[in-house]
Amino acid sequence: MRLQRQRGFRVRAAAVGVALAGVVLAGCGEVKNTITPKKNTANQVTVVLAGPPNGLYAGIYEAQALGYFAQTDMDVHVVTPGAGQDPLSMVHGGQALLSISSEPSVLLHRNEDEPLAAVGAIVHVPLPAITIPLPKPSSSGGKAVTTTPTNIHRKTTTTSTTTTTTPTTTTVSAPDTTLWPAALQQLLSQPGAPTYDGLVVVARKGTIVEHAGLVRRFVQALAHGYRAARGDPRQAINKLVAAVPALGATRALQLATLKAALPDMFPAGAKLWGWQREAEWNTFGTWMTTHHLLSNPNAITDASTNELLQGQGV
């Protein structure tokens, strides 16, 4: 199937209803704020995660804690989908402005004529491809470390009389896997399956067009958050645990998760944080089409855009 080249979205120089006094674009395209917004005047932004919070989302909580969102006139609310809730359906239905999701989910929703698009990549590989070393019990205060990730790989030591099995690494399952067709789950578990972006930021196309400035400010503040998390992963996890106290019991695991994922959040050769590779989206979309998982010819074209990243677009 011959694919059309990604055309990109037309975005308005002044976003409708969201351009605020005091917000200007720096020469490099990065948004900077010159004033402190008055109470209750910041833009309300609801972001729904792909699943329960963990170390992979540390940059979001870091951006929140360090004030990167507030500095660009945003009051960001991070929510977790409930049982049976589809984060992208919440965005499409207007319950949330943005969502964290995955490349396969974006394409599946676009196949149903839902005009969604990824505006930035957080993790550039499938989440199960990230190998996370399990921390020793002593690194969590002597308490046993409980793990929510699945697919634990075990190292086995055998003697003449006993066999001891000790888990050494773990991986994180894609949180939206249960929303995928069984055929897609099975195909992706087989050797040779193509790669895809495991976590991306998603918005409605209408939001991108009508509120480009707001989405741009969010994505660029998020980039600051992830760069801060790369600079000091331990601090980022502390901020994550402060926002989600239930993760305190797995603090060491969350830190190990973030550290293991950082190379895939900032891959070598990437033009800038969040950059999505059009060729990779086309390849993966074509693969899904070949396996009869996509039938809509519009599912792939314009499924992602880099126009709202730092220094891009208008």
Side-chain angles (χ1 to χ4, degrees), residues 8-32:
F9 295 107
R10 294 181 179 178
V11 294
R12 298 181 182 180
V16 177
V18 299
L20 300 177
V23 180
V24 296
L25 290 176
C28 64
E30 178 183 354
V31 174
K32 292 185 181 296

Side-chain angles (χ1 to χ4, degrees), residues 36-266:
T36 301
K38 295 180 180 180
K39 186 177 181 180
N40 300 324
T41 63
N43 287 235
Q44 303 296 310
V45 177
T46 298
V47 181
V48 57
L49 302 181
N54 60 41
L56 299 178
Y57 302 111
I60 300 175
Y61 292 92
E62 183 84 323
Q64 185 83 293
L66 297 179
Y68 296 143
F69 293 136
Q71 289 168 12
T72 50
D73 303 323
M74 288 182 289
D75 185 5
V76 174
H77 303 272
V78 181
V79 300
T80 302
Q85 283 187 310
D86 185 336
L88 290 186
S89 293
M90 295 173 68
V91 172
H92 178 62
Q95 296 168 274
L97 187 75
L98 301 165
S99 174
I100 310 302
S101 189
S102 66
E103 183 175 334
S105 289
V106 171
L107 293 173
L108 288 170
H109 276 261
R110 288 178 58 86
N111 195 56
E112 300 299 321
D113 286 319
E114 295 182 15
L116 302 170
V119 296
I122 297 176
V123 179
H124 293 264
V125 297
L127 301 190
I130 302 173
T131 301
I132 305 164
L134 281 173
K136 297 179 180 179
S138 59
S139 65
S140 60
K143 298 180 180 179
V145 177
T146 59
T147 61
T148 51
T150 57
N151 305 327
I152 295 179
H153 305 280
R154 298 178 181 276
K155 179 180 179 181
T156 303
T157 303
T158 305
T159 65
S160 59
T161 56
T162 62
T163 299
T164 303
T165 302
T166 304
T168 59
T169 63
T170 185
T171 61
V172 179
S173 296
D176 48 1
T177 300
T178 57
L179 302 173
W180 298 348
L184 176 59
Q185 298 180 46
Q186 182 178 9
L187 286 167
L188 286 177
S189 67
Q190 297 175 0
T195 190
Y196 59 85
D197 289 338
L199 285 182
V200 294
V201 183
V202 185
R204 286 174 291 178
K205 184 174 180 180
T207 300
I208 297 171
V209 173
E210 300 295 333
H211 303 293
L214 181 59
V215 179
R216 179 183 288 110
R217 281 184 278 146
F218 176 85
V219 173
Q220 294 184 9
L222 185 61
H224 282 304
Y226 273 99
R227 284 195 289 267
R230 177 178 60 172
D232 192 341
R234 191 173 299 276
Q235 171 188 267
I237 295 303
N238 288 341
K239 299 292 177 54
L240 171 67
V241 172
V244 189
L247 294 177
T250 59
R251 185 189 301 265
L253 176 62
Q254 305 310 327
L255 179 58
T257 299
L258 174 58
K259 288 182 175 180
L262 281 173
D264 298 305
M265 293 176 173
F266 296 88

